[in-house]
Amino acid sequence: DVGRGSYMENRKVRDEIDTLVSFIRHRHKEFMMARLQPLGIKTSSRGSVLYAVFENEGLVQDDISNRLSMDKAFVTRELNALSEAGLIHRLKDPQDHRRNHIFLTEDGRTIGEAIVKIEDDWVNMAYNGLSVRELNELKAYADRICGNIRNT
């Protein structure tokens, strides 16, 4: 419980955790961009959007936005860029013409498969030496923190 111990001790630990989380996120972004840019993916968020479509072809734009916790207008811009690059195409929903289902082109699927390999390389490097139990504990703690801050 954060209320235990001195305020300064807890603050120091919290600050260190925040620094570590920021470092991991920053290094992940660097790792991904170094490998995505040669594939023509110019931003990490664009890679994330492409990967979301790769995992679940046929999603609508709102679903992608919700899955990635990204602003809908931002996701639309990223999808437009992916469409212009010939990596995705949109199909109108037959019941609601305001909704577009997103699908990969053959080139998009090839890059999606490359992203899977890149992510596997990251996971193997970043989580090296951690047991399944430790990873599950880490996820449980992260889930609790996210639950505390979600919708605040």
Side-chain angles (χ1 to χ4, degrees), residues 32 36 39 41 46-52 54 108-121:
M32 294 302 293
L36 290 175
L39 300 174
I41 303 297
R46 198 163 298 157
S48 296
V49 170
L50 180 72
Y51 185 68
F54 178 81
R109 196 164 292 106
T110 298
I111 292 177
E113 290 166 357
I115 292 172
V116 169
K117 169 78 171 88
I118 294 166
E119 281 290 350
D120 286 348
D121 290 346

Side-chain angles (χ1 to χ4, degrees), residues 27-44 47 111 114-123 125:
R27 290 304 305 266
H28 180 252
K29 185 176 180 177
E30 284 179 340
F31 183 92
M32 294 302 293
M33 288 313 305
R35 288 150 182 85
L36 290 175
Q37 285 183 340
L39 300 174
I41 303 297
K42 297 187 184 334
T43 66
S44 61
I111 292 177
I115 292 172
V116 169
K117 169 78 171 88
I118 294 166
E119 281 290 350
D120 286 348
D121 290 346
W122 167 261
V123 167
M125 185 265 304

Side-chain angles (χ1 to χ4, degrees), residues 93-148:
D93 186 308
Q95 274 74 30
D96 185 350
H97 291 289
R98 296 169 296 175
R99 294 168 47 106
N100 290 303
H101 294 271
I102 312 300
F103 295 90
L104 295 173
T105 63
E106 188 175 320
D107 289 344
R109 196 164 292 106
T110 298
I111 292 177
E113 290 166 357
I115 292 172
V116 169
K117 169 78 171 88
I118 294 166
E119 281 290 350
D120 286 348
D121 290 346
W122 167 261
V123 167
N124 289 332
M125 185 265 304
Y127 300 125
N128 184 32
L130 295 176
S131 70
V132 171
R133 183 184 59 75
E134 290 169 322
L135 288 172
N136 285 329
E137 287 176 5
L138 178 60
K139 183 187 178 306
Y141 294 137
D143 283 343
R144 284 175 51 191
I145 293 167
C146 288
N148 291 341

Side-chain angles (χ1 to χ4, degrees), residues 76-90:
T76 298
R77 286 190 299 274
E78 294 298 308
L79 287 169
N80 288 342
L82 291 169
S83 180
E84 289 170 17
L87 301 176
I88 63 147
H89 63 94
R90 295 173 168 101

